[in-house]
Amino acid sequence: MDEEQRFLSEAVSLARSNMEKGGRPFGAVVVKDGAVIATGVNEMARTGDPTSHAELNALRDAAKALQSLRLEGCVVYASGQPCPMCLAAMRMAGINEIAYAHSNAQAEPYGLSTSAIYAELARPITEQAMRFRHVPLEAQEQMPLYAEWQKRQQAG
């Protein structure tokens, strides 16, 4: 078994263990330089938090372990194809490599695929089912929010 298969097997093992505890079948492992930095399982049911996905929990723990918001050089191994939320979080954290053991096509018969969300997000924002509105407040603000943030960053 090569390294990639070993880490994917660990993610699947985490998913199976989570199922035994009543959780959903998702596990994730974050690896840097060949070493496991963090792991996570889907804890939505346990926590009541719809964002408590395996990948996000593993990212949170990896950021703590590395004491960094940036996770460049890390690889995420997941039991299932990451959903758009998890994928976006990985991109924002600087992850540039992901491997997963089970695809959305494999998840579809069990109601676990996120393909429909991916398809919806691929549409122009004005054609998506979710309603988006840009309501500028800058004229009412003393200092525009982002300008204030930049000023604080430069001062601090």
Side-chain angles (χ1 to χ4, degrees):
M1 179 181 297
D2 71 12
E3 188 174 80
E4 183 168 72
Q5 290 173 328
R6 181 168 54 91
F7 293 133
L8 284 170
S9 291
E10 185 171 344
V12 170
S13 179
L14 287 166
R16 288 187 190 284
S17 177
N18 197 46
M19 286 188 323
E20 290 170 7
K21 298 173 187 168
R24 293 171 60 93
F26 299 103
V29 178
V30 178
V31 174
K32 185 167 187 174
D33 300 325
V36 174
I37 302 301
T39 64
V41 295
N42 185 298
E43 296 182 328
M44 289 170 41
R46 187 184 71 74
T47 63
D49 177 355
T51 69
S52 191
H53 289 202
E55 298 90 340
L56 293 184
N57 290 331
L59 288 181
R60 289 178 186 116
D61 287 350
K64 288 176 191 169
L66 297 174
Q67 298 180 350
S68 175
L69 298 176
R70 302 298 301 162
L71 301 176
E72 284 96 351
C74 292
V75 180
V76 174
Y77 296 91
S79 61
Q81 185 171 345
C83 76
M85 174 180 66
C86 292
L87 178 61
M90 287 184 259
R91 285 182 178 250
M92 292 183 79
I95 300 287
N96 62 14
E97 189 174 346
I98 304 162
Y100 55 92
H102 299 92
S103 69
N104 269 326
Q106 291 170 303
E108 183 69 37
Y110 308 100
L112 297 171
S113 173
T114 56
S115 291
I117 298 170
Y118 271 106
E120 177 74 7
L121 291 173
R123 297 171 64 186
I125 201 166
T126 57
E127 295 177 18
Q128 293 182 23
M130 182 181 283
R131 185 173 167 215
F132 289 86
R133 288 185 315 283
H134 176 217
V135 183
L137 293 176
E138 289 182 4
Q140 300 171 19
E141 295 180 290
Q142 295 172 352
M143 178 182 280
L145 182 65
Y146 298 150
E148 182 180 344
W149 175 83
Q150 184 178 45
K151 181 179 177 183
R152 290 173 185 264
Q153 294 299 304
Q154 292 169 344

